[in-house]
Amino acid sequence: MAILECKGLSKRFGSVQALDNVNLTIEPGRVVGLLGPNGSGKTTLLKLCNGLLTPSAGEILIAGAKPGPETKAVVSYLPDKPYLADWMNVGQLMDFFADFYGDFDRERALDMLAHLNINEQQSIKQMSKGTREKVQLILVMSRKAGLYLLDEPIGGVDPATRDYILDTIIRNYNPAAAVVISTHLIADVEQVLDEVVFIRNGQIMLQSPVDAIREDKGMSVDQYFREVFKC
Amino acid sequence: MEWKFRSDLPIYSQLVEQISLGIVSGEFPPGAKLPSVRDLAMEAGVNPNTMQRALQELEREGLVYTQRTAGRFVTEQIGVIQGARRTIARQSARIFLDDMKKLGYGREEILSLLEEEKEENHGDSGV
């Protein structure tokens, strides 16, 4: 069964059509890049998958169920903005995640944190932007979820941090789970993706395996994206 | 092993190429156990499914084999490795000859160029 399925999904904000009749199926075991320019609807789509927004039309199914309390147990979501309470320290955040999510694996989180020399007493407030992003990702990836939705996980961090984040995604790869990464930094993520979804003006333009684009077009997804989205 | 990817070719076929080269050059010696798919994927910084596909292709070519419980190994059949070595060498030769053709080099010129280079590099390459 598909882990994520959108059927005729639309979202309208007043006069703005943010998503327009989106049909999309994502299978378990896939790492998918959700690629589109700013304002194309990436964040709206991810928020709909989380039940943070409700569709204007159409439907979303997560492992066969509409977004709700049951699907939140399946979905691990990294928002595009900092969202952790900055007065908390790492230990408190882990308690918080363990309280909210039955699938939170503290051992896995501790292991990754130790690797970065981050201790439990460190508070979010004291951290650099890059470290904060790493901690957020570690918490999100330490859940044994069925669907990881990562909204711009590599935006605004240095290249070494970017590598670490992509490494973490590969390290935690689980054939029973899917990962959706929204980004416009395609060249950086291309190698870790199975397939890409191009989105423009709220519409899905293309869903294709990375190597199929490279094979058919003789260019990288990054180059192809630049061609398709040329301003 | 250093992994490098060109943008105009599928990633999986470049993985096949680079691992083949690793086997031919002895970096992965005959009979050696290969790292797990996940470890190789992490090392190369690529998607595990893409790495899996590359390893399956290498298996099809006979350069690696899977032992049910123990993992993946480099073949012990030297003949197969020699065959791969020859294939890679021929590919390199073809690319070289194409480039020379574009430069307008003829057969004699190419041969004398190779002789010259061989003289100059004698010390370090051992050719």
Side-chain angles (χ1 to χ4, degrees):
Chain A
M1 184 175 44
I3 187 76
L4 171 63
E5 199 174 4
C6 303
K7 295 182 205 162
L9 182 68
S10 295
K11 179 67 185 177
R12 179 180 278 280
F13 297 109
S15 63
V16 178
Q17 188 80 42
L19 284 183
D20 185 7
N21 193 29
V22 166
N23 293 296
L24 182 66
T25 303
I26 289 171
E27 302 291 338
R30 305 269 126 186
V31 183
V32 181
L34 180 61
L35 314 177
N38 295 321
S40 54
K42 303 188 293 289
T43 296
T44 301
L45 179 57
L46 296 186
K47 282 185 173 171
L48 283 161
C49 296
N50 275 296
L52 294 172
L53 295 170
T54 51
S56 307
E59 70 172 348
I60 298 186
L61 297 174
I62 311 282
K66 290 195 174 163
E70 308 80 40
T71 67
K72 289 184 187 189
V74 177
V75 175
S76 191
Y77 171 52
L78 181 72
D80 63 338
K81 296 189 182 72
Y83 73 110
L84 300 174
D86 67 359
W87 55 267
M88 281 191 179
N89 66 32
V90 172
Q92 288 168 321
L93 281 168
M94 282 193 288
D95 292 341
F96 185 73
F97 262 68
D99 278 348
F100 267 88
Y101 304 113
D103 60 358
F104 181 68
D105 182 348
R106 199 182 190 109
E107 290 302 309
R108 194 195 274 186
L110 283 170
D111 190 53
M112 287 194 270
L113 290 165
H115 192 76
L116 291 174
N117 295 318
I118 297 170
N119 67 54
E120 292 194 42
Q121 276 68 51
Q122 236 170 310
S123 79
I124 293 291
K125 219 181 304 184
Q126 297 165 331
M127 291 173 187
S128 69
K129 184 175 175 184
T131 306
R132 244 178 251 193
E133 304 235 352
K134 282 184 243 183
V135 168
Q136 291 196 22
L137 183 83
I138 286 173
L139 291 170
V140 168
M141 294 308 290
S142 293
R143 288 184 53 197
K144 291 174 181 154
L147 178 62
Y148 299 87
L149 300 173
L150 313 178
D151 199 354
E152 291 287 357
I154 57 168
V157 295
D158 63 78
T161 304
R162 212 168 276 177
D163 284 348
Y164 174 80
I165 288 173
L166 296 175
D167 222 51
T168 303
I169 293 168
I170 301 173
R171 188 193 315 264
N172 291 300
Y173 174 79
N174 169 6
V179 183
V180 177
I181 304 171
S182 108
T183 188
H184 47 247
L185 298 167
I186 303 167
D188 290 312
V189 296
E190 186 164 347
Q191 283 174 209
V192 310
L193 303 176
D194 285 288
E195 53 184 279
V196 291
V197 173
F198 282 10
I199 179 169
R200 172 155 70 184
N201 299 331
Q203 294 177 328
I204 304 292
M205 297 180 62
L206 165 97
Q207 182 175 11
S208 164
V210 166
D211 271 350
I213 291 177
R214 287 171 162 250
E215 191 123 45
D216 297 345
K217 312 287 176 196
M219 57 176 107
S220 66
V221 172
D222 184 52
Q223 290 165 331
Y224 186 55
F225 181 92
R226 284 164 202 260
E227 201 176 285
V228 170
F229 289 94
K230 202 166 185 175
C231 297
Chain B
M1 187 154 171
E2 207 185 321
W3 305 83
K4 276 194 189 134
F5 301 100
R6 291 167 48 173
S7 62
D8 56 345
L9 290 172
I11 293 160
Y12 105 92
S13 59
Q14 299 185 65
L15 289 172
V16 170
E17 215 170 89
Q18 291 180 43
I19 298 169
S20 302
L21 199 59
I23 292 173
V24 165
S25 68
E27 194 163 344
F28 297 124
K33 188 177 189 319
L34 287 174
S36 69
V37 173
R38 187 187 303 243
D39 285 348
L40 274 174
M42 277 183 54
E43 202 190 300
V46 300
N47 181 287
N49 292 316
T50 312
M51 183 57 83
Q52 174 76 13
R53 190 176 165 205
L55 290 168
Q56 278 164 352
E57 174 62 21
L58 288 164
E59 222 163 273
R60 209 185 53 77
E61 291 174 7
L63 278 172
V64 308
Y65 66 95
T66 303
Q67 226 161 34
R68 258 195 175 287
T69 50
R72 268 203 183 80
F73 296 83
V74 177
T75 183
E76 280 147 31
Q77 297 177 21
I78 306 299
V80 177
I81 298 177
Q82 289 300 329
R85 178 168 170 265
R86 176 115 187 117
T87 307
I88 295 171
R90 289 190 73 152
Q91 275 168 2
S92 301
R94 223 169 291 141
I95 292 167
F96 168 75
L97 288 173
D98 277 351
D99 287 348
M100 290 301 109
K101 207 169 149 191
K102 279 179 207 150
L103 290 171
Y105 270 61
R107 186 190 162 84
E108 290 308 315
E109 251 180 319
I110 291 172
L111 287 174
S112 69
L113 179 78
L114 286 173
E115 280 301 321
E116 260 170 60
E117 284 297 313
K118 191 172 137 188
E119 294 291 310
E120 277 177 35
N121 289 327
H122 191 71
D124 35 271
S125 71
V127 181

